[in-house]
Every structure is written in C-alpha cells, then in structure tokens.
Amino acid sequence: MMAIETRILGTIRRIPRGKVATYGAVARAAGFPGAARRVAWTLHRSFGLPWHRVLGAGGEIKLRGDSAVEQRLRLEAEGVAFRGRRVDMRRHEFKFPRKSAALKSKIR
DNA sequence: ACTGTGACACTGG
DNA sequence: ACCAGTGCCACAG
C-alpha cells in the first residue's frame, strides 16, 4: 500500500471512540489538504478501521442505504448524538492535534 | 500524457 | 433545506 493511504489510515485510527471527523479534516490532518475524495476511496476498500467515525462536511452521513443506517447505529452506540440527519459536530467533532509542540503554554 | 471516477467541499440560487 | 455547478486530489486504465 502507498504512503498516502498509510497516513490516511493512521489518521483515521486516531479518532477516539465517541468522536468523529470529516473527510476533509482527515485529509488535512494526514498532510493532503483537499484530498477528501481520496479519504473516501481509501475507506471504501479498507478493513479494521473506525470507518463510521468519518463523515461529510457538517456532520452528514454520505453513504447510501443499509451502510448509512449501520453507520448511524454504530455512532449512536458510542454515544454520538444526532441533530436531525447530521451529527452534532459541536459536541463530537474530533480536533486533530496540531503537530504537537507549544500548546501547553497556550492554555491560558 | 489523457480521461474518468469517487462514502468530498463550497458556493450560489 | 434542496439542488446544480465547479473545484479538488490521487489513482486506475
């Protein structure tokens, strides 16, 4: 598998239980801003990942049919709340840590 | 090198 | 809120 996919997969694996991230955010965190579609493609053909924690912009589920239902159920099972058809991002969006470093002094 | 393709993102009506 | 159009990136053939 290629480097890009490896990084994307690793990034997705960092999303903790009960949290979610968007395709675009994953792409940026992996170092490929704008490659949201690549994230989707990678997810489509990968196993053993918390795939259900990756959503479209605005916390919207982008799958169709049964898969969409399964994703919603999996998320709700980990305590993720929905607001209509989308996830309440204010409460559950996972912020990928910015390259470590100076954040301790930043906290007030 | 060129074209088509995605579980996308954004903007504008 | 719901499209349609346009921009995106990397990959497969």
Side-chain angles (χ1 to χ4, degrees), chain A residues 14-105:
Chain A
R14 291 212 293 281
I15 306 172
R17 193 184 152 74
K19 290 292 181 179
V20 300
T22 65
Y23 297 93
V26 169
R28 284 194 297 277
F32 301 90
R37 309 188 76 146
R38 203 87 315 262
V39 174
W41 191 81
T42 299
L43 272 174
H44 190 58
R45 41 155 301 177
S46 299
F47 297 77
L49 294 169
W51 60 270
H52 55 287
R53 298 186 189 136
V54 185
L55 306 162
E60 185 178 16
I61 288 180
K62 304 295 275 188
L63 291 103
R64 301 292 174 146
D66 297 337
S67 301
V69 176
E70 181 181 352
Q71 180 168 26
R72 176 160 186 153
L73 289 177
R74 280 171 173 275
L75 288 173
E76 293 179 326
E78 356 188 293
V80 173
F82 280 72
R83 208 192 68 211
R85 302 231 280 61
R86 35 212 197 91
V87 165
D88 184 344
M89 297 303 269
R90 295 202 307 185
R91 283 187 357 185
H92 300 105
E93 180 169 29
F94 176 60
K95 308 294 187 181
F96 290 97
R98 299 295 288 154
K99 210 52 196 155
S100 76
L103 83 157
K104 46 169 175 276
S105 57

Side-chain angles (χ1 to χ4, degrees), chain A residues 6-18:
Chain A
T6 302
R7 302 198 47 183
I8 288 178
L9 296 179
T11 300
I12 292 173
R13 269 191 274 268
R14 291 212 293 281
I15 306 172
R17 193 184 152 74

